[in-house]
Amino acid sequence: MSAAPREDPRQDDPRVEEPKESAVGLPAIANSLRVVGRQAGARRGLRGLRDVNQAGGFDCPGCAWPEPERRHTAEFCENGAKAVAEETTQRAVPPEFFAAHPVADLAQRSGYWLGQQGRLTEPMYLAEGATHYTPISWEAAFDLVAEELTAADSPDEAVFYTSGRTSNEAAFLYQLFARRLGTNNLPDCSNMCHESSGSALTETLGVGKGSVVLDDLQQADLIIVAGQNPGTNHPRMLTALERAKRAGTAIMTVNPLPEAGMRRFKNPQSARGLVGGGTELTDLFLQIRVGGDLALFSALNRLLLQAAREGDDGAIDREFIDAHTHGFAEFAGGLLAADEAAFWAEVGTATGLSRERIEQALAMVRAADRIVVCWAMGLTQHRHAVPTIREVVNFLLLRGNVGRAGAGVCPVRGHSNVQGDRTMGIVERPAPAFLDALGAEFGFEPPREHGYDTVRAIQAMREGAVRVFFAMGGNFVSATPDTAVTEDAMRRCRLTVHVSTKLNRSHAVTGARALILPALGRTDRDLAADGSERFVTVEDSMGVVHASRGRAKPLSSQMRSEVDIVTGLAQRVFGADDPVPWQEFSADYDTIRERIERVVPGFAAFNARARRPGGFTLPHAPRDDRRFPTATGKANFTVNEMTAPQVPEGRLLLQTIRSHDQFNTTIYGLDDRYRGVHDGRRVVLVHPDDAAHLGLAEGSYTDLVSEWNDGVDRRAPHFKVVYYPTARGCAAAYYPETNVLVPLDSTAETSNTPTSKSIVVRFEADSGVTRPS
Ligand SMILES: Nc1nc2c(c(=O)[nH]1)N[C@H]1C(S)=C(S)[C@@H](COP(=O)(O)OP(=O)(O)OC[C@H]3O[C@@H](n4cnc5c(=O)[nH]c(N)nc54)[C@H](O)[C@@H]3O)O[C@H]1N2
Ligand SMILES: Nc1nc2c(c(=O)[nH]1)N[C@H]1C(S)=C(S)[C@@H](COP(=O)(O)OP(=O)(O)OC[C@H]3O[C@@H](n4cnc5c(=O)[nH]c(N)nc54)[C@H](O)[C@@H]3O)O[C@H]1N2
Ligand SMILES: [Mo]
């Protein structure tokens, strides 16, 4: 057994330098080759990179940004390379590892350390009261799950979580399994991610997805990137922005932080990017306060409405509004009613922007015939996230910027197949039409009652109402809010099951009994029982569905595909006479796609079209025909009361973000190169003037204490104060170290998404590191 476990000591003292002013370029290439070499061994790693995002290869397990039609031979980015390296690593976690490390030891390790141990290779079981995981056969593991599911009083005592890497085929079968069992308890990572976008877009446009394709970016006159850090999280988006820029598109960036990627992009695929100065991307940077976007878009909309009222014909698109929208008069009336001075005072407080700055933005908007708005977590993880995104839709509708080339909504999705999982029915509030089709196809009556989303699932666990927690991927206890509350809730389950590729904290914080089931990942070769090669499909952020085929030889013959795991379990639970032919699905994935084609609209000739290089684009009524499948049959304007987070004196509003060296809870390394943070993650970025006001010395350590109305002490100890040019009144620190600060009950209206970007914090004397992160 190893010596006393401890936190990686380097985490305690991050090194800080000036933030970078450009992104990618040569250092990115050097860094990706370094990570690949370290993790995968050079040959296996480079072979992995050759296949990434190529027709006939696999879909990058990183983000959901789409592939361009004309692909470069190396259509990957530094962070895609890290994601591939992380998965194709030759390091393995064999049963001997679990014999050497009791669960209590694993629970003391950092997420970084756990992930660095390598790929999970065999099913492992933690018996009740046991100190160690021990090997278990697949059949015995399925028996155990079946036993607990059967012992439950109701199928609703089971929860089936999904993280967004699961393929369409596996996701379709997984939701079928849950519904066949009788529950809609299908929370997913989307509940913490773009749920607010889905809610707002479904209500206003009738489709909860983005309405643009890659070409639209090039045809736009103006792209607004709000609440997103593509240099780190969607690096290939920078290539698309650069191409747009060359074609004459203007770019406006709305962010509390001056993110390097949006300033200057050095494209590694062009000589100019490698040796030259790169491309200046942002034309206008609005350094907004955290949570100020609703006020900003309200202000722009009011200015446009005022201009129209004064007879300025070009301000809004009357023809579009009359023909395609509903609720305009109420929306315009509401926004114009406010008293001018009070309105602008409120906008100033919420945004931190001067009226002059907003007038500059308006001028750019007025100069643009076609506008695309892109956004990600900076807009979705606030209490008022849904009204904010609805106001973005109002803004686009006012000038007819939906349903024509070069214009539209572009929520940039996170996980590589999170959008596809939703299309396949991974949702706790399924549409009745979907259930009808599913029930008709398989001859059973799916449950109609809504299930738990992520936050409700944790609340139910906290109340002891969940017997079995099953996770198809992800790292539930680290990704969810209120770490201490969630971990206690998790421990109240009878059985927790994780289908995983890598070790993470959710394997160490378990129910009375626990299973780890090792899955093949995107990069792994997936062979059927007869030895034939299988492929799966995924859907990107722009609704393009295409095949993904892994090539790497799996590290162990014990690893199974997610499809085989679901079908194996289903056969054990439902028996051989089940009307659903689980065995057939496992033998031939084409038979799954045939069923998807019959249940999910837009998948006609799925098997044939999935085999086309580049795949096919799903229909999208607003984009394709300006048809809006909403309750009114039109695109809906909405009235959104202007609000912003209230921050008491002596507090800052903390947003929790990703560093450059992580994928969600997977930590690749300890640097955040563009922001100038090295060798550690426990930093809090604070504006120097705020720091001076609060008495926070540069380089000193502080505890972050979150303030919420339930009297619970939520404290994240030991963060190094970094002076940083963020918007005043705001602070930033990395997730998941700060999840302990996000109250479980603090969620967005309507979408119930945790408010991970709006946490009121105060600063208290450093109490030292008390638990691993
Ligand atoms: N390499 C890598 N790629 C990833 C991920 C990863 O962890 N690593 N995660 C994937 C996933 S699941 C997702 S969802 C995406 C996340 O992609 P992003 O949303 O880009 O990720 P975050 O780091 O959360 O960054 C949020 C950005 O919004 C800004 N912001 C915060 N609050 C506000 C606000 O109130 N208003 C405005 N206008 N801006 C604000 C922050 O300063 C930051 O730039 O990336 C995906 N891709
Ligand atoms: N405070 C705060 N909290 C947040 C956020 C934030 O910005 N701030 N962001 C939220 C967002 S946007 C998201 S999407 C969630 C992410 O929540 P999750 O999706 O639950 O978390 P990940 O860290 O992406 O999950 C990583 C784990 O997935 C497993 N895995 C990886 N690939 C595969 C695969 O192919 N198959 C299987 N079966 N398993 C696999 C590995 O074991 C790995 O350890 O976190 C949310 N939490
Ligand atoms: Mo996400």
Side-chain angles (χ1 to χ4, degrees):
M1 200 189 299
S2 68
R6 50 195 288 260
E7 178 89 329
D8 184 337
R10 286 183 308 160
Q11 282 201 348
D12 290 347
D13 199 15
R15 197 161 47 75
V16 180
E17 55 184 42
E18 284 293 302
K20 298 277 181 293
E21 302 212 338
S22 69
V24 195
L26 276 175
I29 296 189
N31 200 35
S32 39
L33 289 177
R34 202 160 44 235
V35 175
V36 170
R38 195 167 66 210
Q39 279 285 357
R43 206 155 60 109
R44 186 177 159 96
L46 287 173
R47 179 148 9 104
L49 290 182
R50 197 190 58 205
D51 288 346
V52 64
N53 291 340
Q54 299 295 322
F58 59 86
D59 180 62
C60 179
C63 76
W65 189 256
E67 279 74 56
E69 254 166 46
R70 262 185 310 111
R71 290 159 207 236
H72 290 278
T73 40
E75 190 56 54
F76 69 94
C77 66
E78 176 191 354
N79 280 342
K82 290 184 208 158
V84 170
E86 184 77 15
E87 196 173 284
T88 53
T89 182
Q90 284 178 323
R91 295 184 201 158
V93 179
E96 299 77 56
F97 170 90
F98 290 98
H101 297 277
V103 182
D105 171 359
L106 300 181
Q108 292 306 311
R109 302 289 183 167
S110 71
Y112 179 45
W113 187 90
L114 291 172
Q116 290 297 306
Q117 302 313 304
R119 288 287 297 270
L120 294 159
T121 53
E122 286 193 36
M124 300 298 299
Y125 173 48
L126 182 68
E128 189 159 7
T131 53
H132 293 71
Y133 276 97
T134 50
I136 185 172
S137 72
W138 279 99
E139 291 318 309
F142 292 152
D143 283 348
L144 257 163
V145 183
E147 179 192 310
E148 289 289 355
L149 289 175
T150 317
D153 289 332
S154 141
D156 291 327
E157 288 180 16
V159 166
F160 297 94
Y161 175 72
T162 318
S163 164
R165 283 212 184 156
T166 295
S167 67
N168 289 333
E169 290 74 7
F172 183 76
L173 295 187
Y174 188 54
Q175 62 82 31
L176 177 60
F177 175 84
R179 297 194 163 112
R180 182 81 193 84
L181 193 71
T183 183
N184 282 313
N185 285 344
L186 286 157
D188 70 346
C189 66
S190 234
N191 296 142
M192 299 179 270
C193 184
H194 267 295
E195 193 71 59
S196 304
S197 309
S199 297
L201 295 177
T202 305
E203 180 187 345
T204 55
L205 301 179
V207 180
K209 299 182 181 182
S211 76
V212 301
V213 293
L214 263 186
D215 270 352
D216 289 315
L217 294 183
Q218 267 205 85
Q219 294 180 42
D221 300 312
L222 172 64
I223 300 173
I224 301 178
V225 180
Q228 204 202 334
N229 177 23
T232 285
N233 298 312
H234 305 91
R236 286 178 301 116
M237 179 174 169
L238 298 185
T239 313
L241 292 176
E242 187 192 39
R243 277 172 63 200
K245 194 83 209 210
R246 296 266 176 79
T249 308
I251 296 178
M252 190 193 302
T253 298
V254 187
N255 203 309
L257 298 176
E259 305 283 26
M262 289 308 298
R263 299 172 88 176
R264 190 179 279 280
F265 171 49
K266 297 188 173 178
N267 188 341
Q269 271 138 6
S270 80
R272 196 183 138 115
L274 283 183
V275 294
T279 306
E280 196 90 49
L281 287 182
T282 298
D283 296 283
L284 180 69
F285 173 46
L286 298 180
Q287 185 161 35
I288 198 166
R289 282 208 178 128
V290 166
D293 305 80
L294 173 54
L296 170 67
F297 282 96
S298 300
L300 290 172
N301 289 343
R302 181 168 151 122
L303 290 169
L304 289 170
L305 288 168
Q306 285 174 333
R309 191 174 57 183
E310 282 148 25
D312 179 344
D313 280 346
I316 64 174
D317 184 344
R318 267 278 166 202
E319 229 170 274
F320 172 82
I321 293 170
D322 291 343
H324 298 289
T325 72
H326 175 269
F328 174 74
E330 215 186 334
F331 155 71
L335 204 48
L336 288 171
D339 167 74
E340 183 80 355
F343 180 85
W344 282 101
E346 212 180 314
V347 169
T349 312
T351 62
L353 299 169
S354 65
R355 173 151 183 180
E356 190 193 358
R357 203 81 180 134
I358 295 177
E359 297 272 6
Q360 279 177 344
L362 180 75
M364 279 177 84
V365 169
R366 293 295 307 264
D369 178 37
R370 301 148 190 261
I371 303 179
V372 172
V373 182
C374 303
W375 72 88
M377 297 305 100
L379 259 54
T380 63
Q381 299 176 331
H382 301 286
R383 170 127 191 94
H384 57 306
V386 175
T388 300
I389 296 162
R390 286 197 309 224
E391 199 61 32
V392 169
V393 174
N394 287 340
F395 167 76
L396 289 168
L397 291 179
L398 269 181
R399 290 171 61 83
N401 276 315
V402 177
R404 65 190 168 104
V409 288
C410 184
V412 181
R413 307 297 301 245
H415 269 298
S416 52
N417 198 40
V418 62
Q419 185 158 318
D421 290 350
R422 275 294 167 94
T423 307
M424 292 300 114
I426 301 287
V427 59
E428 76 286 354
R429 290 178 288 178
F434 175 82
L435 295 180
D436 293 344
L438 190 72
E441 177 65 27
F442 293 104
F444 75 105
E445 190 43 57
R448 300 276 158 171
E449 206 176 308
H450 289 171
Y452 302 137
D453 60 17
T454 293
V455 166
R456 290 201 183 87
I458 299 166
Q459 289 163 339
M461 286 183 213
R462 180 171 64 178
E463 289 153 21
V466 176
R467 187 178 181 98
V468 179
F469 173 84
F470 193 108
M472 185 57 82
N475 180 5
F476 195 80
V477 299
S478 293
T480 51
D482 230 348
T483 315
V485 171
T486 300
E487 293 192 352
D488 283 346
M490 193 66 133
R491 291 194 179 95
R492 300 200 64 181
C493 299
R494 279 291 308 157
L495 174 69
T496 51
V497 186
H498 283 90
V499 176
S500 309
T501 53
K502 300 287 284 275
L503 200 59
N504 65 45
R505 186 160 177 83
S506 299
H507 304 124
V509 179
T510 69
R513 314 205 266 176
L515 285 166
I516 300 174
L517 305 178
L520 295 178
R522 212 48 84 58
T523 57
D524 296 313
R525 182 188 300 150
D526 180 2
L527 297 180
D530 67 2
S532 61
E533 215 175 80
R534 304 185 284 195
F535 72 92
V536 293
T537 61
V538 293
E539 174 186 342
D540 68 30
S541 200
M542 294 181 176
V544 178
V545 177
H546 62 86
S548 176
R549 200 185 297 268
R551 291 283 159 78
K553 187 172 185 295
L555 287 187
S556 140
S557 59
Q558 283 285 306
M559 293 147 95
R560 288 199 182 176
S561 78
E562 292 180 344
V563 166
D564 285 348
I565 294 171
V566 177
T567 55
L569 177 62
Q571 288 174 75
R572 174 63 190 76
V573 171
F574 303 124
D577 297 334
D578 198 63
V580 181
W582 302 101
Q583 164 66 41
E584 179 188 311
F585 291 155
S586 157
D588 181 359
Y589 290 180
D590 276 3
T591 63
I592 310 171
R593 287 184 282 265
E594 283 164 14
R595 301 302 186 117
I596 293 172
E597 174 173 344
R598 293 209 286 267
V599 172
V600 187
F603 284 82
F606 189 10
N607 273 309
R609 291 197 295 164
R611 287 176 164 81
R612 272 192 211 156
F616 61 98
T617 304
L618 289 174
H620 185 289
R623 181 195 66 211
D624 302 337
D625 314 312
R626 281 200 162 168
R627 216 164 34 74
F628 300 95
T630 61
T632 61
K634 303 235 166 169
N636 290 319
F637 278 102
T638 51
V639 178
N640 304 301
E641 195 194 327
M642 198 161 76
T643 56
Q646 301 296 310
V647 187
E649 164 60 26
R651 290 18 179 194
L652 296 180
L653 193 62
L654 177 77
Q655 57 147 328
T656 60
I657 49 173
R658 292 151 172 82
S659 85
H660 195 63
D661 270 1
Q662 74 182 88
F663 192 97
N664 298 340
T665 70
T666 298
I667 310 300
Y668 301 133
L670 299 175
D671 297 337
D672 192 7
R673 200 171 72 242
Y674 298 151
R675 298 196 186 104
V677 177
H678 296 275
D679 295 331
R681 294 177 47 85
R682 298 189 82 89
V683 292
V684 57
L685 313 184
V686 183
H687 191 283
D689 294 348
D690 287 325
H693 179 68
L694 296 169
L696 297 168
E698 186 166 20
S700 67
Y701 279 88
T702 177
D703 281 7
L704 306 178
V705 183
S706 114
E707 298 194 341
W708 180 246
N709 58 25
D710 60 1
V712 176
D713 183 50
R714 293 184 175 85
R715 177 181 302 265
H718 197 61
F719 279 73
K720 187 170 192 165
V721 175
V722 174
Y723 283 13
Y724 203 86
T726 179
R728 287 294 308 272
C730 309
Y734 302 129
Y735 126 81
E737 285 80 354
T738 45
N739 286 43
V740 64
L741 299 174
V742 188
L744 181 63
D745 303 313
S746 172
T747 60
E749 296 157 29
T750 316
S751 67
N752 211 27
T753 296
T755 55
S756 308
K757 298 280 191 278
S758 297
I759 310 164
V760 175
V761 291
R762 64 173 191 270
F763 299 81
E764 287 189 359
D766 174 30
S767 60
V769 177
T770 56
R771 65 172 287 282
S773 47

